[in-house]
Amino acid sequence: MGQTLADLPLRDDLRGEEPYGAPQLDVPVVLNVNENPYPPSEEVVADIATAVAEAARTLNRYPEREALELRKDLAAYLGHDLTAAQVWAANGSNEVMLQILLAFGGPGRTALSFAPTYSMYPEYARDSCTTWVTGRRAEDFTLDVTHALEQIAAHQPSVVLLASPNNPTGTALPLDVVERICEAAPGIVVVDEAYGEFRRDGTPSALTLLPRYPRLVVSRTMSKAFAFAGGRLGYLAADAAIVDALRIVRLPYHLSAVTQAVARIALKHADALLARVHELRGRRDETVEWLRGQGHQVADSDANFVLFGTFPDRHTVWQGLLDRGVLIRETGPDGWLRVSIGTAQEMAAFRAALQEVLAQ
Ligand code: PMP
C-alpha cells in the first residue's frame, strides 16, 4: 500500500523522469500545442460517423494489419509517384518516429539532432536506449551546414532527426542543406515535416529528394494541416526497405480498425480540411508582422505557430496571458514564448491580452 515510483524496479534511466506533455487547461483560448483551431464540418462528422458504424460491425476481428488501403490513400495524397509500399502509418508521427529509433537506433547507437528542436526527440532516444546527441542551431535558428557535418563526422549517428519546419522555432530547411546532410550521414536521415503544409512558398518538401537518397525518411502527420490531432494518424514516406524494417518493430494490429476507417474519411475530405491551411498561413504571417511591429523579436515561421521574445521573465508573461484566458507555450530558448495560430477571434484575444500584460 502507498507504493510510489521510488519503490518500483523502474529502469535506472527512467528514475526522476516526468511524463511529457503541455498542461491541458480548460481556458477560453487554447494556443499552446499547435493544433488546428477548426473542428471538422458537420458533413465530415457525418461521414466519420457512418465509417465508424461500419468499422464497429467488424470489431470482433483484428484490424487489417498492414493498413494497406489507408497507406494507398496516403501515397495518393503525397503524390511524387509514391506507392503504398513506400508509405508507413502509425498512431501519430510520434509513434512513427519511435518506431524508426526502435529499428535503427538502440544500445550502442547514436541519434543526432540540432537544438532547439522538438522536445520529444530525446524521449524517443531514451525509450529506445539510443545515445542522444544534440548539435546547435545558429542564432537565427537556421542550420549551419559546416557545424552539422562536423557533428555527423564526430558522432556517426545511426539516425539524424531534422524537423522542417522546426518546432518550436518554425524554421524550414532549404533542400540543399538536407542534401548535404544526406550525403554525409552514415545512417537514416529523418526530415520531420509535421508542419509541412504550412510552409511559405519557395521552401519545397524533402519528398522531392526521396528518389535520390534511399536512406531518407520524410515524416508527416494528419494532426496539424488535416485538423486531425484527436484521430492520431502519422505517416512517413521512404524507400520500401525502410518500411519493411518498421514492420518488424511495430506492434501487431497497431492501427485500430476505427483509426484506419476515420483517417481514410479525413483523406477523402482532404480538400475541405486543407482549405483552412491557406487562411492559417496568412494569419501566421500577420501575427509575425504584428509582433515585430510591437518591437518583439520573432523567428521567421513556416509553421502554424510563432516563436517570439525575448522576455527577462517569460513565465510572468505566460502567466499574465493565462490569467486573461489565453494559454500559450513556455518553450524554446530562455526568454522566448510560442503561440499557435488560432481563429481570427482567438488571435485578437491573444494580441489584446499580450498588450495588457506588457503594459503593466
Ligand atoms: N513532430 C513535430 C515537430 C511536432 O511538433 C509534433 C507535435 N507537436 C509531432 C511531430 C508529433 O505529432 P503527432 O504525433 O500528433 O503526429
Side-chain angles (χ1 to χ4, degrees):
M1 293 308 265
Q3 177 170 256
T4 70
L5 269 182
D7 304 318
L8 294 175
L10 189 65
R11 265 166 48 182
D12 288 340
D13 60 330
L14 298 182
R15 287 195 186 279
E17 294 283 289
E18 295 281 337
Y20 178 86
Q24 291 191 304
L25 304 177
D26 188 13
V27 294
V29 181
V30 176
L31 302 173
N32 69 332
V33 285
N34 302 340
E35 291 156 331
N36 190 310
Y38 298 108
S41 69
E42 282 310 314
E43 192 195 342
V44 175
V45 170
D47 269 11
I48 287 176
T50 306
V52 170
E54 261 170 49
R57 296 197 177 90
T58 71
L59 287 182
N60 57 313
R61 301 289 177 192
Y62 283 110
E64 205 267 283
R65 199 168 43 213
E66 301 297 338
L68 259 184
E69 295 304 314
L70 170 61
R71 286 162 58 201
K72 262 188 222 164
D73 291 352
L74 288 165
Y77 165 69
L78 287 177
H80 297 268
D81 296 325
L82 289 162
T83 63
Q86 297 163 291
V87 170
W88 179 245
N91 297 282
S93 52
N94 273 318
E95 185 177 21
V96 168
M97 286 187 281
L98 177 61
Q99 290 172 339
I100 292 172
L101 273 271
L102 289 173
F104 297 104
R109 293 180 172 214
T110 297
L112 169 70
S113 192
F114 298 89
T117 192
Y118 183 37
S119 39
M120 273 303 294
Y121 294 165
E123 303 216 3
Y124 312 146
R126 180 199 66 196
D127 295 349
S128 62
C129 301
T130 308
T131 301
W132 175 244
V133 175
T134 39
R136 56 181 156 69
R137 285 173 174 263
E139 278 287 277
D140 62 355
F141 306 129
T142 57
L143 205 54
D144 170 359
V145 180
T146 311
H147 169 71
L149 298 188
E150 277 166 13
Q151 294 292 310
I152 289 169
H155 300 290
Q156 294 295 306
S158 302
V159 180
V160 180
L161 287 167
L162 303 170
S164 175
N166 184 42
N167 180 8
T169 65
T171 322
L173 291 176
L175 284 194
D176 60 305
V177 171
V178 178
E179 285 177 80
R180 301 268 308 270
I181 290 174
C182 286
E183 269 151 29
I188 302 292
V189 176
V190 181
V191 179
D192 174 2
E193 294 190 351
Y195 303 95
E197 288 91 343
F198 294 95
R199 278 168 296 134
R200 291 172 296 175
D201 297 337
T203 34
S205 164
L207 287 170
T208 56
L209 301 177
L210 284 172
R212 281 170 43 214
Y213 298 104
R215 292 180 171 187
L216 172 64
V217 172
V218 180
S219 170
R220 291 282 186 103
T221 183
M222 293 181 70
S223 295
K224 317 289 177 178
F226 277 86
F228 200 67
R232 308 305 301 130
L233 203 290
Y235 56 104
L236 61 72
D239 188 84
I242 292 184
V243 172
D244 284 341
L246 301 178
R247 291 171 59 237
I248 296 173
V249 297
R250 61 108 178 90
L251 296 174
Y253 316 111
H254 69 296
L255 272 181
S256 85
V258 172
T259 301
Q260 293 185 41
V262 174
R264 292 191 69 203
I265 297 298
L267 283 163
K268 209 179 85 187
H269 288 279
D271 287 349
L273 290 167
L274 292 167
R276 300 286 207 168
V277 168
H278 182 71
E279 185 186 322
L280 289 164
R281 288 166 75 205
R283 200 169 298 130
R284 179 260 330 269
D285 294 340
E286 282 163 24
T287 306
V288 169
E289 284 301 298
W290 182 82
L291 285 164
R292 284 187 179 148
Q294 298 290 302
H296 299 298
Q297 219 178 313
V298 186
D300 285 335
S301 176
D302 280 280
N304 67 340
F305 55 83
V306 175
L307 189 73
F308 65 103
T310 57
F311 304 102
D313 179 3
R314 71 170 170 188
H315 182 72
T316 304
V317 179
W318 178 85
Q319 185 64 53
L321 290 170
L322 184 56
D323 294 343
R324 288 160 181 80
V326 179
L327 177 61
I328 68 166
R329 189 80 173 262
E330 215 181 333
T331 185
D334 243 13
W336 294 80
L337 291 167
R338 191 192 71 193
V339 62
S340 310
I341 303 302
T343 64
Q345 292 87 331
E346 287 169 332
M347 297 321 286
F350 161 71
R351 291 192 299 267
L354 186 66
Q355 279 180 316
E356 248 185 67
V357 170
L358 296 178
Q360 282 191 331

